Amino acid sequence: MANPEYANGITIDPSHLILTLSTRFPKIRACLFDMDGLLIDTEDIYTACNNVILHEYGKPSLPWKIKAQLQGRPGPEASEIFHAWAQLPIPRSTFTTKQAALQAQYFPTTQPLPGVPLLLKNLERANIHLALATSSHAKNFKLKTTHQKQLFSAFPMNRRVLGDDPRIPKGKGKPAPDIYLLALETINAELRAKGAEEIMPEECLVFEDSVPGVEAGRRAGMRVVWCPHPELLKEYRGREREVLAGVANGTDEEVNEAMMEAGARGRMIGRPGRMDDGWAEMVLTLEGFPYARFGVEL
């Protein structure tokens, strides 16, 4: 008998089928969102800005093999990985100045990705609690979102957790689970104040486009929807099940070497999942989102 497939086209071993289909989840009560490359089109802007500087010094364009390790991570850690690969003949301060100037020009042009405005509207209508968990620091967040006030009005100010939030311990950005656990706490703090029942991690759905972000969501004990950039998906073709389990990040030899040179640490606390355990799914777009599958009634 041929191996069955999920709707997202990932083939699974029949021996895992009973485990996957027998998994029972509570209804989703909260949705926690990444931002860059998930809600807005900033990932391509990041790449374009970096490539301008790389080409200026005769370097090749940033490959997705490396970019995949930058996505979702806090700025300082992503910078270490980037420079360990790029080996630019200029001080990092010079690169940062050039990069900031380009980003200041192009970040204010960001647009929502397909399906995002309707998804947020429908989740609000369904009384799902929403929070933002982005590795972007406050300065860049402002550049990216000031012209998108209506879109980001879905996230109350106290439910926006940014990459430079002092409540996130140093070195605990994605793929560590801290940012998503903190995003959930911003919601639960409100519920406690109202005397309402708190939300458990398994009642949360994390939306992510990055591999480290998926791992962070899994390590937080939450369900995850992975909506990758088409080029990122090409890099992980055949390894989608590892990504969804939260165990695919950092296994590529070249990237591991770059991270070691950069002094990046190993995996953080919090256990990832198991392949085909049903806790994570992949979608190619946020258009036509399957709300009923997660117990969300519109």
Side-chain angles (χ1 to χ4, degrees):
M1 183 179 78
N3 285 357
E5 292 187 342
Y6 282 131
N8 56 26
I10 300 176
T11 303
I12 60 174
D13 189 307
S15 64
H16 297 292
L17 187 59
I18 295 178
L19 172 63
T20 301
L21 295 183
S22 64
T23 303
R24 294 291 182 265
F25 298 104
K27 290 184 178 181
I28 291 299
R29 297 176 59 203
C31 288
L32 313 180
F33 286 85
D34 174 52
M35 182 180 73
D36 293 301
L38 188 281
L39 296 178
I40 53 178
D41 59 355
T42 35
E43 284 299 343
D44 288 334
I45 294 176
Y46 270 116
T47 300
C49 292
N50 286 337
N51 283 343
V52 167
I53 304 171
L54 287 168
H55 297 166
E56 181 181 352
Y57 293 95
K59 298 291 184 176
S61 296
L62 181 66
W64 269 93
K65 181 176 292 186
I66 299 300
K67 182 173 174 61
Q69 298 304 312
L70 309 181
Q71 285 185 297
R73 295 182 186 274
E77 185 177 346
S79 178
E80 290 297 323
I81 297 171
F82 172 81
H83 285 289
W85 168 80
Q87 296 295 305
L88 287 166
I90 55 175
R92 292 192 185 185
S93 58
T94 301
F95 173 86
T96 300
T97 299
K98 290 175 175 287
Q99 183 189 54
L102 289 167
Q103 291 175 350
Q105 179 180 355
Y106 292 107
F107 278 165
T109 69
T110 60
Q111 293 298 316
L113 287 167
V116 168
L118 182 59
L119 173 63
L120 296 178
K121 181 179 180 180
N122 283 341
L123 291 174
E124 285 188 284
R125 184 186 304 164
N127 294 317
I128 301 298
H129 299 278
L130 305 182
L132 188 70
T134 174
S135 296
S136 282
H137 288 200
K139 180 179 179 180
N140 279 347
F141 178 81
K142 184 177 181 180
L143 285 171
K144 298 169 183 175
T145 64
T146 298
H147 62 295
Q148 295 289 351
K149 291 186 182 297
Q150 182 174 356
L151 183 74
F152 285 90
S153 66
F155 305 102
M157 293 296 294
N158 63 310
R159 294 187 186 181
R160 299 177 182 183
V161 182
L162 309 185
D164 53 353
D165 192 307
R167 294 171 294 180
I168 301 174
K170 185 177 181 180
K172 292 293 187 179
K174 301 173 188 178
D178 299 62
I179 192 168
Y180 280 117
L181 293 173
L182 178 56
L184 173 57
E185 173 56 24
T186 66
I187 297 173
N188 280 335
E190 291 183 13
L191 295 178
R192 285 194 299 271
K194 298 176 181 178
E197 182 182 1
E198 294 188 30
I199 297 172
M200 301 299 293
E202 59 267 27
E203 296 175 304
C204 294
L205 185 61
V206 166
F207 286 81
E208 267 286 354
D209 69 305
S210 75
V211 175
V214 171
E215 182 176 341
R218 293 304 315 266
R219 288 181 178 276
M222 300 172 180
R223 296 172 71 182
V224 179
V225 168
W226 181 39
C227 186
H229 189 289
E231 294 301 318
L232 178 65
L233 187 56
K234 289 180 183 178
E235 286 297 320
Y236 284 91
R237 182 67 67 189
R239 298 178 58 200
E240 295 94 335
R241 293 165 60 236
E242 296 174 37
V243 175
L244 294 175
V247 298
N249 182 49
T251 59
D252 182 88
E253 183 178 352
E254 179 179 344
V255 173
N256 278 345
E257 291 177 357
M259 291 178 69
M260 288 178 65
E261 291 176 11
R265 299 179 179 179
R267 295 190 181 279
M268 305 300 176
I269 60 172
R271 299 177 63 181
R274 293 177 297 173
M275 289 195 289
D276 307 322
D277 60 9
W279 282 73
E281 299 186 27
M282 182 179 74
V283 297
L284 300 181
T285 176
L286 293 180
E287 295 179 292
F289 188 74
Y291 302 95
R293 187 182 304 173
F294 299 96
V296 176
E297 300 177 2
L298 299 182

